[in-house]
Short mmCIF file of all heavy atoms in Angstrom, two decimals:
data_model
loop_
_atom_site.label_atom_id
_atom_site.label_comp_id
_atom_site.label_asym_id
_atom_site.label_seq_id
_atom_site.Cartn_x
_atom_site.Cartn_y
_atom_site.Cartn_z
N LYS A 363 7.02 -2.99 -13.90
CA LYS A 363 7.85 -1.89 -14.40
C LYS A 363 7.65 -1.67 -15.91
O LYS A 363 7.21 -2.56 -16.63
CB LYS A 363 9.33 -2.18 -14.12
CG LYS A 363 9.67 -2.27 -12.65
CD LYS A 363 11.16 -2.32 -12.40
CE LYS A 363 11.73 -3.69 -12.61
NZ LYS A 363 13.13 -3.80 -12.17
N ASN A 364 8.01 -0.46 -16.32
CA ASN A 364 8.09 -0.09 -17.74
C ASN A 364 6.77 -0.11 -18.50
O ASN A 364 6.73 -0.39 -19.69
CB ASN A 364 9.13 -0.96 -18.47
CG ASN A 364 10.49 -0.84 -17.85
OD1 ASN A 364 10.91 0.23 -17.43
ND2 ASN A 364 11.19 -1.95 -17.74
N ARG A 365 5.67 0.14 -17.78
CA ARG A 365 4.38 0.25 -18.44
C ARG A 365 3.73 1.60 -18.21
O ARG A 365 3.04 2.12 -19.07
CB ARG A 365 3.41 -0.82 -17.92
CG ARG A 365 3.71 -2.20 -18.42
CD ARG A 365 2.53 -3.09 -18.20
NE ARG A 365 2.86 -4.47 -18.48
CZ ARG A 365 2.11 -5.48 -18.15
NH1 ARG A 365 0.98 -5.28 -17.51
NH2 ARG A 365 2.47 -6.70 -18.44
N CYS A 366 3.94 2.14 -17.05
CA CYS A 366 3.25 3.36 -16.63
C CYS A 366 4.04 4.59 -17.06
O CYS A 366 5.22 4.72 -16.73
CB CYS A 366 3.09 3.32 -15.11
SG CYS A 366 1.88 4.44 -14.50
N GLY A 367 3.41 5.49 -17.83
CA GLY A 367 4.07 6.69 -18.31
C GLY A 367 4.61 6.57 -19.72
O GLY A 367 5.19 7.51 -20.24
N TYR A 368 4.41 5.42 -20.31
CA TYR A 368 4.96 5.15 -21.64
C TYR A 368 3.87 5.16 -22.72
O TYR A 368 2.72 4.85 -22.47
CB TYR A 368 5.59 3.75 -21.69
CG TYR A 368 6.83 3.60 -20.85
CD1 TYR A 368 6.76 3.23 -19.52
CD2 TYR A 368 8.09 3.81 -21.41
CE1 TYR A 368 7.90 3.07 -18.75
CE2 TYR A 368 9.24 3.66 -20.65
CZ TYR A 368 9.13 3.29 -19.33
OH TYR A 368 10.26 3.13 -18.58
N GLU A 369 4.32 5.44 -23.94
CA GLU A 369 3.50 5.24 -25.13
C GLU A 369 3.76 3.82 -25.64
O GLU A 369 4.71 3.16 -25.20
CB GLU A 369 3.87 6.27 -26.21
CG GLU A 369 3.48 7.69 -25.86
CD GLU A 369 1.98 7.87 -25.71
OE1 GLU A 369 1.21 7.38 -26.56
OE2 GLU A 369 1.57 8.51 -24.72
N ARG A 370 2.96 3.37 -26.56
CA ARG A 370 3.13 2.01 -27.09
C ARG A 370 4.49 1.81 -27.77
O ARG A 370 5.01 0.70 -27.81
CB ARG A 370 2.01 1.67 -28.07
CG ARG A 370 0.67 1.53 -27.40
CD ARG A 370 -0.36 0.94 -28.35
NE ARG A 370 -1.68 0.96 -27.78
CZ ARG A 370 -2.17 0.01 -26.99
NH1 ARG A 370 -1.44 -1.03 -26.70
NH2 ARG A 370 -3.39 0.09 -26.51
N ASP A 371 5.07 2.90 -28.29
CA ASP A 371 6.37 2.77 -28.96
C ASP A 371 7.55 2.78 -27.98
O ASP A 371 8.71 2.73 -28.39
CB ASP A 371 6.55 3.86 -30.02
CG ASP A 371 6.64 5.27 -29.43
OD1 ASP A 371 6.64 5.42 -28.17
OD2 ASP A 371 6.71 6.22 -30.21
N GLY A 372 7.27 2.87 -26.67
CA GLY A 372 8.32 2.85 -25.66
C GLY A 372 8.80 4.23 -25.22
O GLY A 372 9.59 4.34 -24.29
N SER A 373 8.34 5.28 -25.88
CA SER A 373 8.73 6.64 -25.49
C SER A 373 7.89 7.08 -24.28
O SER A 373 6.83 6.52 -24.01
CB SER A 373 8.54 7.61 -26.65
OG SER A 373 7.16 7.72 -26.98
N PHE A 374 8.38 8.08 -23.58
CA PHE A 374 7.64 8.62 -22.44
C PHE A 374 6.58 9.61 -22.93
O PHE A 374 6.82 10.36 -23.87
CB PHE A 374 8.58 9.32 -21.46
CG PHE A 374 9.51 8.39 -20.75
CD1 PHE A 374 10.88 8.49 -20.94
CD2 PHE A 374 9.03 7.41 -19.90
CE1 PHE A 374 11.75 7.63 -20.29
CE2 PHE A 374 9.90 6.55 -19.25
CZ PHE A 374 11.26 6.66 -19.45
N THR A 375 5.45 9.61 -22.28
CA THR A 375 4.36 10.50 -22.66
C THR A 375 4.57 11.90 -22.12
O THR A 375 4.26 12.88 -22.79
CB THR A 375 3.02 9.94 -22.14
OG1 THR A 375 2.86 8.61 -22.63
CG2 THR A 375 1.86 10.78 -22.59
N THR A 376 5.12 12.02 -20.91
CA THR A 376 5.34 13.34 -20.29
C THR A 376 6.76 13.41 -19.75
O THR A 376 7.47 12.40 -19.66
CB THR A 376 4.36 13.59 -19.11
OG1 THR A 376 4.77 12.82 -17.98
CG2 THR A 376 2.93 13.28 -19.48
N GLU A 377 7.16 14.60 -19.33
CA GLU A 377 8.50 14.78 -18.75
C GLU A 377 8.64 14.07 -17.41
O GLU A 377 9.74 13.91 -16.90
CB GLU A 377 8.86 16.27 -18.62
CG GLU A 377 8.03 17.04 -17.62
CD GLU A 377 6.68 17.55 -18.14
OE1 GLU A 377 6.34 17.32 -19.32
OE2 GLU A 377 5.97 18.18 -17.35
N ARG A 378 7.56 13.62 -16.85
CA ARG A 378 7.62 12.86 -15.59
C ARG A 378 8.07 11.41 -15.83
O ARG A 378 8.25 10.66 -14.88
CB ARG A 378 6.28 12.89 -14.88
CG ARG A 378 5.92 14.28 -14.40
CD ARG A 378 4.78 14.22 -13.41
NE ARG A 378 4.32 15.54 -13.08
CZ ARG A 378 4.83 16.29 -12.11
NH1 ARG A 378 5.80 15.82 -11.37
NH2 ARG A 378 4.36 17.48 -11.87
N LYS A 379 8.20 11.04 -17.05
CA LYS A 379 8.69 9.72 -17.46
C LYS A 379 7.93 8.60 -16.75
O LYS A 379 6.71 8.57 -16.79
CB LYS A 379 10.20 9.64 -17.26
CG LYS A 379 10.94 10.69 -18.07
CD LYS A 379 12.41 10.58 -17.95
CE LYS A 379 13.04 11.66 -18.83
NZ LYS A 379 14.47 11.64 -18.74
N ASP A 380 8.65 7.68 -16.09
CA ASP A 380 7.97 6.53 -15.49
C ASP A 380 7.59 6.75 -14.02
O ASP A 380 7.17 5.82 -13.35
CB ASP A 380 8.80 5.26 -15.63
CG ASP A 380 10.10 5.31 -14.84
OD1 ASP A 380 10.45 6.38 -14.32
OD2 ASP A 380 10.76 4.26 -14.74
N THR A 381 7.73 7.99 -13.53
CA THR A 381 7.36 8.23 -12.13
C THR A 381 5.87 8.08 -11.90
O THR A 381 5.43 8.02 -10.75
CB THR A 381 7.84 9.62 -11.64
OG1 THR A 381 7.23 10.64 -12.44
CG2 THR A 381 9.35 9.73 -11.71
N TRP A 382 5.10 8.01 -12.95
CA TRP A 382 3.65 7.79 -12.80
C TRP A 382 3.36 6.47 -12.10
O TRP A 382 2.32 6.31 -11.48
CB TRP A 382 2.96 7.82 -14.17
CG TRP A 382 2.83 9.21 -14.70
CD1 TRP A 382 3.58 9.79 -15.68
CD2 TRP A 382 1.91 10.21 -14.27
NE1 TRP A 382 3.19 11.08 -15.89
CE2 TRP A 382 2.15 11.37 -15.02
CE3 TRP A 382 0.91 10.24 -13.31
CZ2 TRP A 382 1.43 12.54 -14.86
CZ3 TRP A 382 0.19 11.41 -13.14
CH2 TRP A 382 0.45 12.54 -13.91
N GLN A 383 4.29 5.51 -12.16
CA GLN A 383 4.03 4.23 -11.49
C GLN A 383 3.89 4.41 -9.99
O GLN A 383 3.09 3.73 -9.34
CB GLN A 383 5.08 3.18 -11.84
CG GLN A 383 6.43 3.38 -11.22
CD GLN A 383 7.42 2.33 -11.67
OE1 GLN A 383 7.24 1.65 -12.68
NE2 GLN A 383 8.49 2.17 -10.91
N MET A 384 4.64 5.35 -9.41
CA MET A 384 4.50 5.62 -7.97
C MET A 384 3.17 6.29 -7.67
O MET A 384 2.56 6.04 -6.63
CB MET A 384 5.66 6.49 -7.48
CG MET A 384 6.98 5.76 -7.48
SD MET A 384 6.97 4.29 -6.42
CE MET A 384 7.00 5.04 -4.81
N PHE A 385 2.70 7.12 -8.57
CA PHE A 385 1.39 7.75 -8.42
C PHE A 385 0.31 6.66 -8.41
O PHE A 385 -0.55 6.63 -7.52
CB PHE A 385 1.17 8.74 -9.57
CG PHE A 385 -0.05 9.59 -9.42
CD1 PHE A 385 -0.04 10.70 -8.60
CD2 PHE A 385 -1.22 9.28 -10.10
CE1 PHE A 385 -1.17 11.50 -8.46
CE2 PHE A 385 -2.35 10.07 -9.97
CZ PHE A 385 -2.32 11.19 -9.15
N ASP A 386 0.38 5.76 -9.38
CA ASP A 386 -0.60 4.66 -9.44
C ASP A 386 -0.53 3.77 -8.20
O ASP A 386 -1.56 3.36 -7.66
CB ASP A 386 -0.38 3.82 -10.70
CG ASP A 386 -0.88 4.50 -11.96
OD1 ASP A 386 -1.35 5.66 -11.88
OD2 ASP A 386 -0.80 3.87 -13.03
N ALA A 387 0.69 3.47 -7.75
CA ALA A 387 0.85 2.63 -6.56
C ALA A 387 0.29 3.34 -5.32
O ALA A 387 -0.31 2.69 -4.45
CB ALA A 387 2.32 2.28 -6.35
N GLY A 388 0.46 4.65 -5.25
CA GLY A 388 -0.08 5.41 -4.13
C GLY A 388 -1.60 5.39 -4.11
O GLY A 388 -2.22 5.19 -3.06
N ILE A 389 -2.20 5.62 -5.27
CA ILE A 389 -3.67 5.58 -5.36
C ILE A 389 -4.17 4.20 -4.96
O ILE A 389 -5.11 4.06 -4.17
CB ILE A 389 -4.15 5.91 -6.79
CG1 ILE A 389 -3.81 7.34 -7.18
CG2 ILE A 389 -5.65 5.67 -6.91
CD1 ILE A 389 -4.05 7.64 -8.64
N ALA A 390 -3.54 3.17 -5.49
CA ALA A 390 -3.98 1.80 -5.21
C ALA A 390 -3.79 1.45 -3.73
O ALA A 390 -4.64 0.80 -3.13
CB ALA A 390 -3.22 0.81 -6.09
N SER A 391 -2.68 1.91 -3.14
CA SER A 391 -2.42 1.62 -1.72
C SER A 391 -3.47 2.28 -0.84
O SER A 391 -3.97 1.67 0.11
CB SER A 391 -1.02 2.09 -1.33
OG SER A 391 -0.04 1.33 -2.00
N GLN A 392 -3.79 3.54 -1.12
CA GLN A 392 -4.81 4.22 -0.33
C GLN A 392 -6.17 3.56 -0.51
O GLN A 392 -6.92 3.36 0.46
CB GLN A 392 -4.88 5.71 -0.69
CG GLN A 392 -5.98 6.47 0.02
CD GLN A 392 -5.80 6.58 1.53
OE1 GLN A 392 -4.90 6.01 2.12
NE2 GLN A 392 -6.67 7.33 2.16
N THR A 393 -6.52 3.19 -1.74
CA THR A 393 -7.79 2.50 -1.98
C THR A 393 -7.82 1.17 -1.24
O THR A 393 -8.82 0.80 -0.64
CB THR A 393 -8.03 2.31 -3.49
OG1 THR A 393 -7.94 3.58 -4.13
CG2 THR A 393 -9.39 1.70 -3.76
N PHE A 394 -6.69 0.45 -1.26
CA PHE A 394 -6.57 -0.81 -0.53
C PHE A 394 -6.84 -0.57 0.96
O PHE A 394 -7.60 -1.31 1.59
CB PHE A 394 -5.15 -1.38 -0.73
CG PHE A 394 -4.89 -2.67 -0.04
CD1 PHE A 394 -5.01 -3.88 -0.72
CD2 PHE A 394 -4.49 -2.71 1.29
CE1 PHE A 394 -4.76 -5.08 -0.08
CE2 PHE A 394 -4.24 -3.91 1.94
CZ PHE A 394 -4.38 -5.10 1.24
N CYS A 395 -6.24 0.47 1.53
CA CYS A 395 -6.40 0.76 2.97
C CYS A 395 -7.82 1.17 3.30
O CYS A 395 -8.36 0.79 4.36
CB CYS A 395 -5.40 1.82 3.41
SG CYS A 395 -3.69 1.23 3.40
N LEU A 396 -8.45 1.94 2.43
CA LEU A 396 -9.84 2.33 2.66
C LEU A 396 -10.77 1.12 2.56
O LEU A 396 -11.70 0.97 3.37
CB LEU A 396 -10.27 3.42 1.68
CG LEU A 396 -9.64 4.79 1.90
CD1 LEU A 396 -9.96 5.72 0.73
CD2 LEU A 396 -10.08 5.40 3.22
N ALA A 397 -10.53 0.24 1.60
CA ALA A 397 -11.33 -0.97 1.47
C ALA A 397 -11.15 -1.85 2.71
O ALA A 397 -12.11 -2.42 3.23
CB ALA A 397 -10.94 -1.73 0.20
N ALA A 398 -9.91 -1.96 3.19
CA ALA A 398 -9.66 -2.75 4.41
C ALA A 398 -10.43 -2.17 5.58
O ALA A 398 -11.07 -2.90 6.36
CB ALA A 398 -8.16 -2.78 4.71
N HIS A 399 -10.40 -0.85 5.72
CA HIS A 399 -11.13 -0.18 6.81
C HIS A 399 -12.62 -0.51 6.74
O HIS A 399 -13.25 -0.78 7.78
CB HIS A 399 -10.89 1.33 6.74
CG HIS A 399 -11.61 2.11 7.79
ND1 HIS A 399 -11.41 1.91 9.14
CD2 HIS A 399 -12.54 3.09 7.68
CE1 HIS A 399 -12.19 2.74 9.81
NE2 HIS A 399 -12.88 3.46 8.94
N GLU A 400 -13.18 -0.50 5.55
CA GLU A 400 -14.59 -0.85 5.37
C GLU A 400 -14.88 -2.26 5.89
O GLU A 400 -15.96 -2.54 6.39
CB GLU A 400 -14.95 -0.75 3.88
CG GLU A 400 -16.30 -1.32 3.49
CD GLU A 400 -17.49 -0.49 3.98
OE1 GLU A 400 -17.31 0.70 4.29
OE2 GLU A 400 -18.60 -1.06 4.05
N HIS A 401 -13.89 -3.15 5.80
CA HIS A 401 -14.04 -4.53 6.28
C HIS A 401 -13.63 -4.69 7.74
O HIS A 401 -13.56 -5.82 8.23
CB HIS A 401 -13.21 -5.48 5.40
CG HIS A 401 -13.77 -5.67 4.03
ND1 HIS A 401 -14.75 -6.59 3.74
CD2 HIS A 401 -13.51 -5.02 2.87
CE1 HIS A 401 -15.06 -6.52 2.46
NE2 HIS A 401 -14.32 -5.57 1.91
N GLY A 402 -13.32 -3.59 8.42
CA GLY A 402 -12.93 -3.66 9.82
C GLY A 402 -11.48 -4.06 10.04
O GLY A 402 -11.08 -4.40 11.14
N VAL A 403 -10.69 -4.02 8.97
CA VAL A 403 -9.29 -4.43 9.01
C VAL A 403 -8.42 -3.16 9.03
O VAL A 403 -8.63 -2.24 8.24
CB VAL A 403 -8.93 -5.31 7.80
CG1 VAL A 403 -7.46 -5.65 7.78
CG2 VAL A 403 -9.79 -6.58 7.81
N GLY A 404 -7.46 -3.11 9.95
CA GLY A 404 -6.57 -1.97 10.07
C GLY A 404 -5.32 -2.15 9.22
O GLY A 404 -4.89 -3.28 8.95
N THR A 405 -4.74 -1.03 8.81
CA THR A 405 -3.56 -1.03 7.95
C THR A 405 -2.64 0.13 8.31
O THR A 405 -3.07 1.10 8.94
CB THR A 405 -3.94 -0.87 6.47
OG1 THR A 405 -4.68 0.35 6.33
CG2 THR A 405 -4.76 -2.03 5.95
N VAL A 406 -1.41 0.03 7.88
CA VAL A 406 -0.48 1.15 7.89
C VAL A 406 0.46 0.95 6.70
O VAL A 406 0.89 -0.18 6.43
CB VAL A 406 0.30 1.28 9.22
CG1 VAL A 406 1.15 0.05 9.51
CG2 VAL A 406 1.16 2.53 9.24
N ILE A 407 0.74 2.02 5.98
CA ILE A 407 1.63 1.94 4.82
C ILE A 407 3.05 2.24 5.28
O ILE A 407 3.30 3.29 5.87
CB ILE A 407 1.20 2.91 3.71
CG1 ILE A 407 -0.22 2.58 3.24
CG2 ILE A 407 2.19 2.87 2.54
CD1 ILE A 407 -0.81 3.60 2.28
N LEU A 408 3.97 1.30 5.02
CA LEU A 408 5.37 1.45 5.42
C LEU A 408 6.24 1.66 4.18
O LEU A 408 6.06 0.99 3.17
CB LEU A 408 5.86 0.22 6.17
CG LEU A 408 5.07 -0.23 7.40
CD1 LEU A 408 5.69 -1.49 7.99
CD2 LEU A 408 5.01 0.89 8.44
N GLY A 409 7.22 2.55 4.31
CA GLY A 409 8.12 2.80 3.20
C GLY A 409 9.59 2.76 3.58
O GLY A 409 10.45 2.94 2.72
N ILE A 410 9.88 2.53 4.87
CA ILE A 410 11.28 2.51 5.31
C ILE A 410 11.70 1.07 5.55
O ILE A 410 11.33 0.46 6.55
CB ILE A 410 11.46 3.35 6.60
CG1 ILE A 410 10.97 4.78 6.37
CG2 ILE A 410 12.92 3.34 7.04
CD1 ILE A 410 10.94 5.62 7.63
#
Side-chain angles (χ1 to χ4, degrees):
K363 297 190 279 189
N364 302 321
R365 286 196 188 167
C366 197
Y368 292 89
E369 291 297 315
R370 291 190 187 274
D371 66 4
S373 65
F374 292 117
T375 305
T376 74
E377 67 276 0
R378 294 194 187 272
K379 301 183 179 179
D380 66 350
T381 60
W382 285 103
Q383 73 183 19
M384 291 300 287
F385 188 80
D386 285 3
I389 295 170
S391 294
Q392 176 66 354
T393 305
F394 180 97
C395 291
L396 290 171
H399 179 60
E400 169 71 20
H401 288 275
V403 176
T405 57
V406 61
I407 299 172
L408 305 178
I410 303 172

